Structure formats: C-alpha cells, structure tokens
Amino acid sequence: MSDLTHLDERGAARMVDVSDKDVTTRTATARGTVLLSAEAVAALRDDTLPKGDALAVARIAGIQAAKRTPDLIPLCHPLPISAVRVDLEIVDEGVHVEAAVRTTSRTGVEMEALTAVTVCALTVIDMTKAIDKHAVITDVRVAAKSGGRSGDWSEG
Amino acid sequence: MSDLTHLDERGAARMVDVSDKDVTTRTATARGTVLLSAEAVAALRDDTLPKGDALAVARIAGIQAAKRTPDLIPLCHPLPISAVRVDLEIVDEGVHVEAAVRTTSRTGVEMEALTAVTVCALTVIDMTKAIDKHAVITDVRVAAKSGGRSGDWSEG
Amino acid sequence: MSDLTHLDERGAARMVDVSDKDVTTRTATARGTVLLSAEAVAALRDDTLPKGDALAVARIAGIQAAKRTPDLIPLCHPLPISAVRVDLEIVDEGVHVEAAVRTTSRTGVEMEALTAVTVCALTVIDMTKAIDKHAVITDVRVAAKSGGRSGDWSEG
Amino acid sequence: MSDLTHLDERGAARMVDVSDKDVTTRTATARGTVLLSAEAVAALRDDTLPKGDALAVARIAGIQAAKRTPDLIPLCHPLPISAVRVDLEIVDEGVHVEAAVRTTSRTGVEMEALTAVTVCALTVIDMTKAIDKHAVITDVRVAAKSGGRSGDWSEG
Amino acid sequence: MSDLTHLDERGAARMVDVSDKDVTTRTATARGTVLLSAEAVAALRDDTLPKGDALAVARIAGIQAAKRTPDLIPLCHPLPISAVRVDLEIVDEGVHVEAAVRTTSRTGVEMEALTAVTVCALTVIDMTKAIDKHAVITDVRVAAKSGGRSGDWSEG
Amino acid sequence: MSDLTHLDERGAARMVDVSDKDVTTRTATARGTVLLSAEAVAALRDDTLPKGDALAVARIAGIQAAKRTPDLIPLCHPLPISAVRVDLEIVDEGVHVEAAVRTTSRTGVEMEALTAVTVCALTVIDMTKAIDKHAVITDVRVAAKSGGRSGDWSEG
C-alpha cells in the first residue's frame, strides 16, 4: 500500500474520507518571496500615492485564490473559509508574501494558505513583468498551523 | 506616471488594451522545483506500479490551471490556449516541474506557463503532505519565450 | 482605524474573521427593477405560450448567481445556501425582481440576495437588448433580513 | 400544484428550502458505461506502462466534477463533500465507471455521484475520440444511497 | 507510442497542439435519452401551464455546460462557441435530448455537444428525482459533425 | 415568432448563431451609481492613506466580472476581451461607477460592461454594509457603444 494517502491500494487517486474527523477551528500561515530586479522594486515602492492599486491587486488575487483551492487542487476538500489575510512587504530583493487562513471544518487549510501565497506571487509577477522578465518565486512553504489532530507547530 | 503598465496615470488597475497587437503564435516555458524530504521522494519513486496516479494528478492540475489563468490573475487577458505540456521529474531533492504553453493570440503566455508550474507544484505538496509537512516551492520562473514584439529568449 | 470592516488598520483588504459568530439560520430578501421600453414589455408579455423561456432564463441565472457570490465579491465568505427563490413580475414600466436567500451559517446572505437580483436583471436586459438598447437597472436594495446579531428588519 | 418539487405552485424554478433537514452523513454510488470499439479498448489496455495517464485523467475529471455539481445543475445545493472515489474498469465492450460520494450535510449526493460518472465518461470519450468516433455513454444511474429521510437502498 | 493522441510517447497526458490546424466553422450534434418512470413523464407533461420552468432549467443547464467544457474535460481546448441549441422532447419512455453546437475555431465541438446533452440529462434527473429515483441516462453519442479535416458525417 | 431573439419560434432559449457576423473591434461603456449614506461616503473618502484598498477591491471585482460574463448570463457568447477599465468616483450621494470594455470579436460587449458595473457596485455595498444597510444600486445602463452592425451611439 502506498504511503501517499491520496492514492488507494492500487495507486488510484481519490478524495480521502474526512467524514469521521472533528469539526474544529483550524488555521494555517504560509509564506513566500518574489525576487525582483531593483528597477521593479523601485516601481512598486513608487506606488505610494493614494489608491495605487499594485499591491491591492495581488492581495485580492491571493484572497480569492484561497476560496478557489478545491477547484485548483484536484483532491482538496471544499471547506467554509472563515477568514483570510494576505500581507505583502516590499523589501530590497522583491516582495515577501504571507497568507493566513482560518476555517471551522474537518480538514486543515495549509493548501489554502499556500495557494493564496502562490497566486498572490504570480500576480506580483504579472504587475511587474513589463519591467522585469526574470522574476522568481521562491521559498513558498507552510510557516505555522494550529488545530486538527496533528498538533500545532510553527517555524522557528 | 507609473512604470507599472497595469496601472493608469492615477494608479488605478486596468486590463491594458491589446486590441492593436498582432495575432501571432506565442509560446512560453516555465520551470520550478518542489523540495521534498527523502521520505517523500521515496514514496513518489515507489509509485511505479501501473496507473499510479501521483504525478498524473499534479500534471493534470497544471494543465487545467493554465486554462484558468485569466480567472486567477485579475488583469490577465483571456486567450485561446492551443497546447499545454507539463512535465514532472523526480530527483533526489524533490520534483522538477516544467510547463510549456502555446497560443495564437494578441498576448504572450508567460503567466499561463507560470500558473501551470505553481499549481502543479501545489498539487505535489498536497499529494505528499501526509509524509512531509515542510515541502518548499522554489525557483519558479519563465525559462523561455518566443513570439510577440519583445522577441525570443531562453535562459542560458 | 477604518470604519470599513473589510480593511485592516493599515487600509489593507482582508476577509474578516467570522469563526466566532454563531451558526444560525439567516435570510435576506433583495429587490430591484429593470426599466424597459413599452415595446420590450410587450414582447415579454407575449411570452405566454407553454414553455416560453424568457423569464425562466433570468430566474435561473439569478439562482445560480446566488451560489457564485463568493467567487464574484472578493471579500465575501463562502457559505452553504439552503434555499433561493427569484420572482419576476412584468409591469408596465419593465420587470420587478425579488430574490430571497436562506442559509444556516455564520454570516448573512444580503450580498447573495443582491447578487441574485442584479444578475437576474442583467439577464432580462440580455433577453430584450435586441428590442431595447436603453434598459436601466434601478432601485436594487436589501428589502428585509432576519437572523444574525444585528437583528431583523424589513422596509416599511 | 406540481409534483416536481423544484417548481413552485406557479411552475417557477426555485432552490428548495433544506434548512429544516437534518445534518447527517449521506452517501451515494452511481454507475455507468462507455461503449467503445475493440480498437479503442485495445489502446486503453495497452496503457499499462508506468504512469500511463489515460484512466487517471478520467478519474480526476470525475472527482473534480463532483465538486462542481452545484455550479452545473442549477437547482442543486452547495454542500461540503467529504469523500469521492471514482473507479474505472476496462472491459471488452468499453469502460465501466463507478463513483461513490460522501457528505455530512442536509441533502443527499446522488447528483454529485451521477455528475462524477458522466464527466468521467465524457473524458474517456475525449481520450479515445481520435480512434473511435462512435463511443456511447449508457446505463448511467444511481446504484445505491444511504443516509437521509428516504432511507437506504441499493440495486439488487 | 500510444494511439491515444492525448498521451505523449511516455504515456503522459498533454493538451495536444492545435496551432497548425485551420480556423474553420465546425458544428456537432449529440443526442441522448433519460429513461423515466411513467409517473415522472406524466409530471413533466403536466408542466404545460405558462412559464412552467421544468424543461427550461434543463435546457439552460445544457447551454451553459457547453461553455464550461474546457473546465470540465481536462485536455479540451478552450474555444469561442458561436451557437448552442438544446432541444428536449418528452416521450413515453422519458426525455430525448439533442444539442447542436457551432464554433469558428481550430478544433471541433463534439465534446461540447456531448457535455451539453449529459448536463441537460443530469438536470432532468435532478428535476424529477423526488418522483423517480431510478432514472437512467442512456444512448449519449455524437449524431453528426461537419467542418474540420476528418470530414462530415451523420448517423444514418 | 418571438421578437426576443434569444428564443426560437417555440419559445425555447438558445444561444443565437453569430458565426456569420464580422470579427471587428467593438467597445461598450456602461455606468451606474451606488447611493450611500453620508456616513458611508465619509468612510470611503477617509480612505486616503497609501494603499487603502476600498475602491481597489471594487474596481478589481468589476474587471474580473467582465471576464465572467458568459458564465453568469446564460445566453451570452464567450469572447476574448482585449481591454477593461473600471472607474469609481466618490460623490456626495455615493459612488459613480463607469466600465469600458473592448473586444475584437463577432458580438458586442454591452453585457460585459453592464456586468462589470453591477459587480463593482455590489462590491462597494459589501465594503460599506457594516456602516450603511440601505445602500441602493441605481441607474445602471449602457452609455455608449461602437463597432458592429447596429452602429455607434452614446447618451447625450
């Protein structure tokens, strides 16, 4: 039998049964970075006038993507997201992205948080691609989770 | 005025007008890596029995995500994708992902290729997350493009 | 800090945390009107033969749009809709639309009812646009709500 | 009044109110067959090399379609699916498809199971259509259900 | 190498490249039947009062499903549909469904026509399931196609 | 026969055939207003700090909704949008919304522009609903169009 829980004993993909798991409040935080050229970072930093939408577009794309996770990741369970926060911080090397997602459900929201970070990062690249054709998404990972049977943890 | 072409002169987001651009065949290739534990890599390598779906799920998720790009990235133009190929290679450190997308349209498909790579990578993490809670998506970038006004290029 | 609850203290959009709110049955009713030319009203009134689909298309579009609300309104929470009713009444000035939505959830369904009314109204315009290019959607608002912490109310 | 519960007393479509129904665990199994030419069956049977994706694509399409049911069937209620399994068996006459869906919710998942079977079957046709232009989907029906007020049953 | 054109030489799924195919007008017609109990047929036949929406819901679901085909069938190409017609005929044994789809594009619309028929048929089952739990979808197939390299044909 | 072009001679809904219409550049502009309380207008006007996302969320929702039009309006044709601009202006009585959409296609984009305006307006209501439960969407209509057989026009 496979150690991959999404495959059955014959190797066939399935959406695993979570109907016996407890409905509890679960949170997950994911992080990642978009590496950008100095010129692209400067263009984003210039966006300090009222209502400059550059980071807002990426933030909203990330929030919406969290809701789309079961549509994008074939074996993810649909679940009622109760909160999403996506933060972007412009740094010298590019943009740090952090997404925090919360649910009261039978499964965790790590995939939702990771999906929010990556789609937010993709949107940052789309916003800056006329300036920098060599942007790189890097270091996307779960940074913390709480709730559920496997216990709480966060990176050091 | 902003250097960010997706913002107008007041900083407001817009979908830029491409109606004057030529309809030509355009391709883009993107790459990225999912870093996994040795245990998770071993589980994926074990998946050599007929019809083991682990990589197939991720490949199909990537192909479908390419078609969803304008739904995910707010300012991307909808376009008729004419081909998508997503390759996964299991290596000692994890999984390399490469996606190639083609269109005959007024805009390029770099965002489609990047979206295919990242959603494929997210699905690899979803498949292995019961074994490895510390997977990392890294080094996602455009590797080559052709067609369109800005010319062809590929990484060295 | 902002009075706009969808923005945090720095002005950044977020999906507000509803995980501490009670799961209760909540309903909302919204109304609106499509103003049409006498000629377009006559064409809709003519649609009295068995199975004439004109109003059915608009009613179904409204019901389906209620389910799509979290996909359309970026900061809306996904929630399990338990009932939707959309009524259209042809009057001399055009079409009155009313939508009633019910859920058992942590947030209200005012946005779902408003979305059902507006998409239904848009579909009425699409059905009649070959006859009347000057249709107007007007007076779309929440008419009643019940359930949830802010209490019940309805327009006089 | 109509015997069709999805229509009100005037014949208008509505999403029926399920808010008074119990939240219980409900399952449904559906089955169907794709009739294929001997040549198409042989091509699918040949697909025995590691990672041949033909059946995987159809299986994943079926799993994802179960999640899309309320988007496809206008009067279906959205509900949190807790498990989906889609099995394909290649037989001499074509491919047998079986889908089993589980939820803990106020309504049953017969439509979700039927949707998974039909979209899986459509994908089998798409995979083989270059070889066989005359594939037929046949005998799609609910084979068993459990949970909910109307009691358990399965075909003999 | 596989005869299944959707798989590459290693068995991996891909969206095949159609960029060299001609843009021409292509049509496809598909048919299918929902077998229903006499009681369910009678309930549908009763629906003769003005605006009875039973068949309209199914027809509209079919039309919309044609547009969703590339979202449902993983390796289908997105294409601009230029016309869809879905007809339902109530007969003694149930409901006959026929869908005709047209495009001006690089690929045919057989899958779009089949998807329209099956989703329409699923919606008929959803409309009648309170009366008849044993409905069966049968005999879904392409009945005619025109345009494209493989020539025109229709069933006898 | 019906004057409603979306219905056939028996009253059945259909997506009308546009395959004989010319592919030309077509634009449409739509406008509408959200009436808000003085308190809600003040809260939006306060949003002058850098990156305050209130209007950005609504603008982006409108842009994305334009792309979703064929998914929302059952008989609308899918088409390749080449530009979308959504402007919001805060006035004493609320918010004016204007959307301009462009395509190079066989059909016009009036419905896309109207959909962008209404979803943008719905999002303004969602942003302000904690302050003002009595917001009203009013005066949503097409303000100008160009391209296509029926000629150019704009409101006086």
Side-chain angles (χ1 to χ4, degrees), chain D residues 64-101:
Chain D
Q64 290 181 293
K67 293 190 267 187
R68 298 276 184 78
T69 304
D71 228 34
L72 292 173
I73 315 293
L75 304 177
C76 269
H77 296 82
L79 46 75
I81 289 177
S82 50
V84 185
R85 187 177 48 71
V86 176
D87 289 318
L88 294 99
E89 184 190 5
I90 303 177
V91 294
D92 286 353
E93 63 179 1
V95 179
H96 288 319
V97 181
E98 180 180 291
V101 181

Side-chain angles (χ1 to χ4, degrees), chain B residues 14-19 77-78, chain F residues 26 28 63 66 80-85 100-104 109:
Chain B
R14 59 179 175 183
M15 188 193 292
V16 295
D17 190 354
V18 298
S19 54
H77 296 82
Chain F
R26 296 153 190 264
I63 292 170
I81 290 177
S82 50
V84 186
R85 187 178 47 72
V101 181
R102 177 171 292 205
T103 191
T104 302
V109 281

Side-chain angles (χ1 to χ4, degrees), chain A residues 95-154:
Chain A
V95 178
H96 287 321
V97 180
E98 182 180 289
V101 181
R102 176 171 292 203
T103 191
T104 302
S105 182
R106 294 176 207 279
T107 55
V109 281
E110 294 94 319
M111 292 313 305
E112 282 74 8
L114 287 168
T115 302
V117 166
T118 50
V119 173
C120 178
L122 289 168
T123 306
V124 168
I125 292 180
D126 186 49
M127 295 298 295
T128 56
K129 72 175 189 238
I131 305 174
D132 180 3
K133 294 184 185 339
H134 300 282
V136 177
I137 300 175
T138 192
D139 206 17
V140 176
R141 81 281 178 195
V142 178
K145 72 178 288 280
S146 70
R149 207 156 31 187
S150 69
D152 300 358
W153 63 269
S154 67

